[in-house]
Amino acid sequence: MSLRTWPRLVTLEGGEGAGKSTVLAALRGAFEAAGIQAVYTREPGGTPLAEQIRGLMLDTQHEPATDETELLLAFAARAQHVRATVLPALQRGAWVVSDRFTDASYAYQGAGRGGDAAFIAELERRVVGIRPALTLLLDVPVDVGLARMRGRGAADRIESERNEFFERVRQGYRDRAAAEPARFEVIDAAQPAEAVAAQAVARLRALIAATAEGAA
Ligand SMILES: Nc1ncnc2c1ncn2[C@@H]1O[C@H](COP(=O)(O)OP(=O)(O)O)[C@@H](O)[C@H]1O
Ligand SMILES: [Mg+2]
């Protein structure tokens, strides 16, 4: 299987507290105002089975998952998500917005945990097979993102990591954006939420304008 880019697949990436959920709500508003049907989903998760796998990944109750276990759980969840949720929506012509996608594995299981990027790329080709046309990377200093997360309840297994881990994740995301500038829009997510949302929506509108909806 080779990688196919889907023009109506948009992903949101960034660290903890970067503002992904906040931007997703703004994108939803833009789609609804334009009368365009879209599916809003997230990773890990996005189907009942994949949400169960998410629970396994983030649970702090059982013994710690090894790095290899975490990587394969992430791709097991993604395999299900792609086939059960993302592709059916794209194939019927809907847009799909996913709060995190494969870039998150390069950043977290790759740059963060030290996983082999070539192996992740192999999994991407053989298990996922699709790429978004647009990835909005919400880039924020680690301490700013973590401060926004405070008061959100008990930290899950990944949220409990040390700052060095989150710094590697942030750099991993920035390296991916630098390598693929046409696909990525890097947004300074330390700005006020309104400014972040405005940049995200403007970039989405440009993508919509480049598709059939924009021409119609
Ligand atoms: N640009 C921003 N400036 C300040 N606070 C923000 C901004 N974006 C989001 N927030 C707040 O920070 C917290 C985390 O945002 P959220 O969208 O849930 O992040 P994520 O989904 O990336 O973890 C929320 O309380 C949200 O209201
Ligand atoms: Mg969120």
Side-chain angles (χ1 to χ4, degrees), residues 65-95:
T66 71
D67 293 351
E68 294 78 4
T69 306
E70 181 183 292
L71 173 65
L72 293 173
L73 284 175
F75 273 92
R78 187 165 298 123
Q80 189 68 21
H81 182 224
V82 165
R83 286 161 188 79
T85 301
V86 178
L87 272 176
L90 292 171
Q91 283 162 348
R92 66 168 195 269
W95 288 72

Short mmCIF file of all heavy atoms in Angstrom, two decimals, residues 65-95:
data_model
loop_
_atom_site.label_atom_id
_atom_site.label_comp_id
_atom_site.label_asym_id
_atom_site.label_seq_id
_atom_site.Cartn_x
_atom_site.Cartn_y
_atom_site.Cartn_z
N ALA A 65 3.29 0.35 29.89
CA ALA A 65 3.45 -0.18 28.53
C ALA A 65 4.90 0.04 28.09
O ALA A 65 5.49 1.10 28.37
CB ALA A 65 2.50 0.53 27.58
N THR A 66 5.49 -0.93 27.41
CA THR A 66 6.81 -0.69 26.82
C THR A 66 6.64 0.26 25.63
O THR A 66 5.53 0.44 25.11
CB THR A 66 7.46 -1.99 26.32
OG1 THR A 66 6.76 -2.43 25.15
CG2 THR A 66 7.43 -3.08 27.40
N ASP A 67 7.74 0.87 25.19
CA ASP A 67 7.66 1.78 24.05
C ASP A 67 7.10 1.08 22.82
O ASP A 67 6.33 1.66 22.05
CB ASP A 67 9.06 2.34 23.73
CG ASP A 67 9.58 3.25 24.83
OD1 ASP A 67 8.82 3.60 25.75
OD2 ASP A 67 10.78 3.61 24.77
N GLU A 68 7.52 -0.18 22.64
CA GLU A 68 7.05 -0.95 21.47
C GLU A 68 5.54 -1.19 21.56
O GLU A 68 4.81 -1.13 20.57
CB GLU A 68 7.78 -2.29 21.37
CG GLU A 68 9.28 -2.17 21.08
CD GLU A 68 10.12 -1.79 22.30
OE1 GLU A 68 9.58 -1.69 23.44
OE2 GLU A 68 11.34 -1.58 22.12
N THR A 69 5.08 -1.51 22.79
CA THR A 69 3.64 -1.74 22.99
C THR A 69 2.86 -0.47 22.67
O THR A 69 1.85 -0.50 21.95
CB THR A 69 3.39 -2.15 24.45
OG1 THR A 69 4.21 -3.27 24.77
CG2 THR A 69 1.93 -2.50 24.68
N GLU A 70 3.35 0.67 23.17
CA GLU A 70 2.66 1.94 22.93
C GLU A 70 2.58 2.25 21.43
O GLU A 70 1.54 2.65 20.92
CB GLU A 70 3.39 3.08 23.67
CG GLU A 70 2.70 4.42 23.48
CD GLU A 70 3.47 5.55 24.16
OE1 GLU A 70 3.52 5.56 25.40
OE2 GLU A 70 4.02 6.39 23.43
N LEU A 71 3.69 2.02 20.73
CA LEU A 71 3.73 2.29 19.28
C LEU A 71 2.70 1.43 18.55
O LEU A 71 1.94 1.93 17.70
CB LEU A 71 5.14 2.01 18.74
CG LEU A 71 5.30 2.08 17.22
CD1 LEU A 71 5.07 3.49 16.71
CD2 LEU A 71 6.70 1.60 16.82
N LEU A 72 2.67 0.14 18.88
CA LEU A 72 1.77 -0.76 18.15
C LEU A 72 0.32 -0.52 18.55
O LEU A 72 -0.58 -0.66 17.71
CB LEU A 72 2.20 -2.21 18.35
CG LEU A 72 3.55 -2.52 17.68
CD1 LEU A 72 4.03 -3.92 18.05
CD2 LEU A 72 3.48 -2.37 16.17
N LEU A 73 0.07 -0.15 19.79
CA LEU A 73 -1.30 0.20 20.18
C LEU A 73 -1.75 1.44 19.41
O LEU A 73 -2.89 1.51 18.94
CB LEU A 73 -1.38 0.47 21.69
CG LEU A 73 -1.37 -0.75 22.61
CD1 LEU A 73 -1.32 -0.30 24.07
CD2 LEU A 73 -2.58 -1.66 22.38
N ALA A 74 -0.85 2.43 19.26
CA ALA A 74 -1.21 3.64 18.52
C ALA A 74 -1.59 3.29 17.09
O ALA A 74 -2.59 3.79 16.55
CB ALA A 74 -0.06 4.65 18.54
N PHE A 75 -0.81 2.42 16.47
CA PHE A 75 -1.12 2.05 15.07
C PHE A 75 -2.30 1.08 14.98
O PHE A 75 -3.02 1.09 13.97
CB PHE A 75 0.13 1.54 14.35
CG PHE A 75 0.92 2.67 13.76
CD1 PHE A 75 1.95 3.26 14.47
CD2 PHE A 75 0.61 3.19 12.51
CE1 PHE A 75 2.67 4.33 13.94
CE2 PHE A 75 1.31 4.26 11.97
CZ PHE A 75 2.35 4.83 12.69
N ALA A 76 -2.52 0.25 15.99
CA ALA A 76 -3.72 -0.60 16.00
C ALA A 76 -4.96 0.28 16.04
O ALA A 76 -5.91 0.08 15.27
CB ALA A 76 -3.68 -1.55 17.19
N ALA A 77 -4.95 1.28 16.92
CA ALA A 77 -6.09 2.19 17.00
C ALA A 77 -6.27 2.94 15.68
O ALA A 77 -7.39 3.11 15.19
CB ALA A 77 -5.88 3.18 18.15
N ARG A 78 -5.15 3.39 15.08
CA ARG A 78 -5.22 4.16 13.83
C ARG A 78 -5.73 3.30 12.68
O ARG A 78 -6.49 3.78 11.82
CB ARG A 78 -3.83 4.74 13.54
CG ARG A 78 -3.78 5.69 12.37
CD ARG A 78 -2.49 6.51 12.36
NE ARG A 78 -2.38 7.32 13.55
CZ ARG A 78 -1.36 7.27 14.43
NH1 ARG A 78 -0.32 6.48 14.21
NH2 ARG A 78 -1.37 8.04 15.49
N ALA A 79 -5.31 2.03 12.63
CA ALA A 79 -5.78 1.13 11.57
C ALA A 79 -7.30 1.04 11.59
O ALA A 79 -7.97 1.09 10.54
CB ALA A 79 -5.16 -0.25 11.75
N GLN A 80 -7.85 0.90 12.79
CA GLN A 80 -9.30 0.79 12.94
C GLN A 80 -9.98 2.11 12.59
O GLN A 80 -10.98 2.15 11.88
CB GLN A 80 -9.61 0.38 14.39
CG GLN A 80 -11.06 0.02 14.61
CD GLN A 80 -11.46 -1.25 13.90
OE1 GLN A 80 -10.61 -2.09 13.55
NE2 GLN A 80 -12.75 -1.41 13.67
N HIS A 81 -9.40 3.20 13.08
CA HIS A 81 -9.96 4.54 12.86
C HIS A 81 -10.03 4.87 11.37
O HIS A 81 -11.04 5.36 10.86
CB HIS A 81 -9.08 5.56 13.61
CG HIS A 81 -9.54 6.97 13.53
ND1 HIS A 81 -8.68 8.00 13.28
CD2 HIS A 81 -10.77 7.53 13.66
CE1 HIS A 81 -9.36 9.13 13.28
NE2 HIS A 81 -10.62 8.88 13.51
N VAL A 82 -8.94 4.57 10.65
CA VAL A 82 -8.89 4.88 9.22
C VAL A 82 -9.98 4.11 8.48
O VAL A 82 -10.72 4.70 7.67
CB VAL A 82 -7.49 4.56 8.65
CG1 VAL A 82 -7.51 4.52 7.13
CG2 VAL A 82 -6.49 5.60 9.14
N ARG A 83 -10.08 2.82 8.77
CA ARG A 83 -11.02 2.00 7.98
C ARG A 83 -12.47 2.16 8.40
O ARG A 83 -13.37 2.08 7.56
CB ARG A 83 -10.60 0.54 8.04
CG ARG A 83 -9.37 0.30 7.18
CD ARG A 83 -8.64 -0.99 7.52
NE ARG A 83 -7.39 -1.05 6.77
CZ ARG A 83 -6.28 -0.38 7.12
NH1 ARG A 83 -6.26 0.38 8.20
NH2 ARG A 83 -5.19 -0.48 6.37
N ALA A 84 -12.71 2.38 9.69
CA ALA A 84 -14.10 2.42 10.17
C ALA A 84 -14.69 3.82 10.14
O ALA A 84 -15.91 3.97 10.04
CB ALA A 84 -14.17 1.85 11.59
N THR A 85 -13.86 4.84 10.23
CA THR A 85 -14.38 6.21 10.36
C THR A 85 -13.89 7.14 9.25
O THR A 85 -14.69 7.78 8.58
CB THR A 85 -13.97 6.81 11.74
OG1 THR A 85 -14.49 5.96 12.77
CG2 THR A 85 -14.51 8.22 11.92
N VAL A 86 -12.57 7.22 9.07
CA VAL A 86 -12.02 8.27 8.21
C VAL A 86 -12.29 7.98 6.73
O VAL A 86 -12.86 8.83 6.02
CB VAL A 86 -10.50 8.44 8.46
CG1 VAL A 86 -9.91 9.48 7.53
CG2 VAL A 86 -10.24 8.80 9.93
N LEU A 87 -11.90 6.80 6.25
CA LEU A 87 -12.07 6.50 4.82
C LEU A 87 -13.53 6.47 4.38
O LEU A 87 -13.86 7.02 3.32
CB LEU A 87 -11.36 5.19 4.46
CG LEU A 87 -9.89 5.35 4.07
CD1 LEU A 87 -9.26 3.97 3.83
CD2 LEU A 87 -9.71 6.22 2.82
N PRO A 88 -14.44 5.83 5.15
CA PRO A 88 -15.83 5.87 4.72
C PRO A 88 -16.35 7.30 4.54
O PRO A 88 -17.09 7.57 3.57
CB PRO A 88 -16.57 5.13 5.84
CG PRO A 88 -15.54 4.21 6.42
CD PRO A 88 -14.24 4.98 6.34
N ALA A 89 -15.97 8.20 5.42
CA ALA A 89 -16.43 9.59 5.29
C ALA A 89 -15.81 10.25 4.06
O ALA A 89 -16.51 10.89 3.26
CB ALA A 89 -16.07 10.38 6.55
N LEU A 90 -14.50 10.08 3.87
CA LEU A 90 -13.84 10.69 2.71
C LEU A 90 -14.43 10.13 1.41
O LEU A 90 -14.64 10.87 0.44
CB LEU A 90 -12.33 10.42 2.76
CG LEU A 90 -11.57 11.12 3.89
CD1 LEU A 90 -10.12 10.59 3.94
CD2 LEU A 90 -11.57 12.64 3.70
N GLN A 91 -14.69 8.83 1.40
CA GLN A 91 -15.18 8.19 0.17
C GLN A 91 -16.58 8.64 -0.21
O GLN A 91 -16.96 8.59 -1.38
CB GLN A 91 -15.09 6.66 0.30
CG GLN A 91 -13.65 6.18 0.10
CD GLN A 91 -13.38 4.77 0.63
OE1 GLN A 91 -14.21 4.20 1.35
NE2 GLN A 91 -12.22 4.23 0.30
N ARG A 92 -17.36 9.10 0.78
CA ARG A 92 -18.68 9.63 0.41
C ARG A 92 -18.63 11.14 0.18
O ARG A 92 -19.65 11.79 -0.01
CB ARG A 92 -19.75 9.24 1.43
CG ARG A 92 -19.60 9.85 2.80
CD ARG A 92 -20.88 9.63 3.65
NE ARG A 92 -20.86 10.49 4.80
CZ ARG A 92 -20.34 10.16 5.97
NH1 ARG A 92 -19.84 8.95 6.16
NH2 ARG A 92 -20.34 11.02 6.97
N GLY A 93 -17.42 11.70 0.19
CA GLY A 93 -17.25 13.12 -0.17
C GLY A 93 -17.27 14.09 0.98
O GLY A 93 -17.21 15.31 0.77
N ALA A 94 -17.37 13.57 2.22
CA ALA A 94 -17.35 14.46 3.39
C ALA A 94 -15.92 14.90 3.69
O ALA A 94 -14.96 14.24 3.29
CB ALA A 94 -17.95 13.75 4.61
N TRP A 95 -15.80 16.00 4.40
CA TRP A 95 -14.52 16.40 4.95
C TRP A 95 -14.33 15.69 6.27
O TRP A 95 -15.30 15.29 6.92
CB TRP A 95 -14.49 17.92 5.19
CG TRP A 95 -14.42 18.73 3.93
CD1 TRP A 95 -15.42 18.90 3.02
CD2 TRP A 95 -13.28 19.45 3.44
NE1 TRP A 95 -14.98 19.71 1.99
CE2 TRP A 95 -13.68 20.06 2.23
CE3 TRP A 95 -11.99 19.67 3.90
CZ2 TRP A 95 -12.82 20.86 1.47
CZ3 TRP A 95 -11.13 20.47 3.16
CH2 TRP A 95 -11.54 21.04 1.95
#
